[in-house]
Amino acid sequence: MKAVTVVPLMKDSLALREMPKPSLGKGQVLLEPIEVGVCGTDKDIIEGKYGAAPPGEEYLILGHEAVASVAELGDGVDNVSVGDIVVPTVRRPTTCTLPITELDYCPRGTYAEHGIWYLHGFAAEYAVSDARFLVKVPKEIVDVAVLTEPLSIVEKGIKLALELGKARFSSWSPRKVLIMGAGPIGMLALMVMRLRGFTDVTITATRPYDSPKAKLTKEIGAKYVNVNVDQLSDEFDIVIEATGSSSAAYEALRHLSADGVAVLLGIYLDSKVVNMVPLLDDWRRNKLIIGATNASIGSFQDGVADLVKAKFEFGGWVRKLITKEVPLDEYEYAYYWGHDDIKSVIQIRSL
Ligand code: BGC
């Protein structure tokens, strides 16, 4: 079968290679991936910054954001049926002993991740997953379900922000929201905040006011600001950092109001400014900081539920977040997205 692969830690080893079709073990499901999304983590792996092949193998199949159909069931599988549309979660425990609903809290080194660490991903004609980690998707959202994995992390961050914010004092009532970055994570955060009833939402990004990102932001009733965030004078009750830049994470704290909650959703490989965080002021003013880069199955289920709601409330808006679709044979183009792209996907089978 054809698969998008790298030799982990070897820069620019990305290639479509012929790989053996995976065989099915007990409790596993054979998947036919439909669409696979591409994100900054894939870019980091392609650049040789991290990632690992399954033990004893040379190549790693990429792809941890996927929607697939169930093609075959291994022995003992009874939670899905052939033909179901599913989204697989990413992380699998190796020595981690936490329950399946809490695997995002596994200590480092106690898990594997499909398409990232020690397990093949889904950017291939076939893939296997343990059946317990599959989330069923209603057919009416198959065209946007590839967004479920990045959305799961947004769901986790926002749920924690709202619940923990309130757990401190029950009259906390956040109103003003700032989202930094109009990439897939920022736009999905916007979608979730609008679904939760927040009407005062501002997105900051670098694209001009007539750009597709600015238009999409305005289309669901949020404000778009293309100044550098350090030029903003307002303070916000919730700030969601979705650029992945550590200096933006620093700005996120600067724009947080007293009692505010910051949600940092990036992987800050460039974390050079962390020691500049204005600790004294933040601590004295009861600011809360939440970080999330991986989510467990419950957040994937929340994501699926929100995609169904968003389809009802915002119509075709969600699908517009997928700005680039390429067939498997042209996989390379998916990994080079421009400033106006939001989510780039490889389409392996038609929807
Ligand atoms: C994925 C997570 C994963 C993280 C670190 C992210 O891009 O969405 O599931 O845990 O990378 O490997």
Side-chain angles (χ1 to χ4, degrees):
M1 65 166 189
K2 285 188 234 168
V4 180
T5 62
V6 292
V7 179
L9 306 183
M10 188 188 285
K11 199 172 184 308
D12 300 329
S13 57
L14 180 71
L16 193 64
R17 292 188 170 89
E18 196 54 43
M19 296 285 285
K21 185 175 168 185
S23 50
L24 204 51
K26 192 164 179 282
Q28 290 186 324
V29 165
L30 182 72
L31 298 173
E32 291 181 341
I34 301 170
E35 286 191 321
V36 172
V38 165
C39 81
T41 296
D42 298 296
K43 276 199 174 175
D44 288 340
I45 298 173
I46 293 168
E47 285 169 17
K49 291 183 186 158
Y50 54 84
E57 295 190 38
E58 186 181 3
Y59 303 118
L60 170 72
I61 300 178
L62 288 181
H64 58 278
E65 301 180 2
V67 56
S69 67
V70 171
E72 218 178 298
L73 306 182
D75 285 347
V77 174
D78 58 9
N79 61 329
V80 290
S81 313
V82 170
D84 280 352
I85 305 293
V86 293
V87 167
T89 66
V90 179
R91 191 169 285 186
R92 305 288 178 267
T94 49
T95 54
C96 180
T97 52
L98 291 175
I100 186 169
T101 49
E102 296 175 2
L103 295 177
D104 46 334
Y105 293 98
C106 289
R108 270 204 194 148
T110 66
Y111 56 81
E113 289 186 331
H114 278 284
I116 305 172
W117 298 108
Y118 311 110
L119 280 173
H120 284 310
F122 307 107
E125 287 174 301
Y126 297 95
V128 287
S129 167
D130 183 318
R132 291 172 303 153
F133 298 89
L134 299 175
V135 175
K136 278 198 230 178
V137 170
K139 296 232 162 41
E140 76 256 29
I141 59 154
V142 65
D143 62 331
V144 290
V146 70
L147 298 169
T148 307
E149 196 279 337
L151 177 55
S152 70
I153 293 158
V154 171
E155 294 282 357
K156 170 182 167 181
I158 292 177
K159 188 167 189 230
L160 286 174
L162 298 176
E163 288 179 2
L164 298 179
K166 206 103 188 144
R168 301 169 308 167
F169 66 109
S170 55
S171 59
W172 185 61
S173 46
R175 202 179 57 78
K176 281 168 74 74
V177 179
L178 173 67
I179 297 170
M180 300 168 69
I185 296 284
M187 293 305 243
L188 289 169
L190 167 60
M191 180 190 94
V192 174
M193 291 317 266
R194 297 291 292 114
L195 289 175
R196 298 288 175 279
F198 286 85
T199 49
D200 189 344
V201 185
T202 303
I203 281 213
T204 51
T206 54
R207 298 289 84 213
Y209 284 102
D210 57 355
S211 64
K213 284 181 179 175
K215 285 186 191 147
L216 272 177
T217 302
K218 285 179 244 162
E219 233 176 79
I220 61 165
K223 275 173 250 167
Y224 182 87
V225 179
N226 91 333
V227 295
N228 266 337
V229 76
D230 56 8
Q231 290 167 255
L232 272 183
S233 54
D234 295 22
E235 288 197 331
F236 297 83
D237 306 317
I238 296 179
V239 179
I240 300 174
E241 201 304 295
T243 67
S245 135
S246 57
S247 45
Y250 166 74
E251 290 300 333
L253 299 182
R254 282 216 317 122
H255 285 92
L256 205 53
S257 63
D259 309 329
V261 181
V263 184
L264 308 184
L265 298 177
I267 296 180
Y268 303 100
L269 291 182
D270 67 332
S271 50
K272 52 184 181 283
V273 293
V274 163
N275 57 2
M276 287 164 55
V277 169
L279 286 179
L280 185 58
D281 181 53
D282 289 329
W283 264 233
R284 273 207 306 228
R285 297 173 76 210
N286 301 312
K287 297 185 185 182
L288 173 65
I289 307 173
I290 290 167
T293 54
N294 176 269
S296 282
I297 195 157
S299 304
F300 279 71
Q301 286 156 346
D302 292 343
V304 167
D306 272 344
L307 287 172
V308 172
K309 279 189 213 146
K311 189 139 221 176
F312 182 73
E313 289 217 14
F314 310 130
W317 185 88
V318 186
R319 178 70 197 178
K320 289 191 212 162
L321 302 183
I322 298 172
T323 48
K324 192 180 213 181
E325 277 173 280
V326 299
L328 187 55
D329 286 332
E330 291 164 32
Y331 68 99
E332 280 160 291
Y333 298 108
Y335 295 93
Y336 301 99
W337 57 86
H339 289 304
D340 285 327
D341 279 317
I342 301 175
K343 178 55 76 182
S344 184
V345 304
I346 302 174
Q347 195 167 65
I348 298 169
R349 288 181 174 76
S350 49
L351 291 168

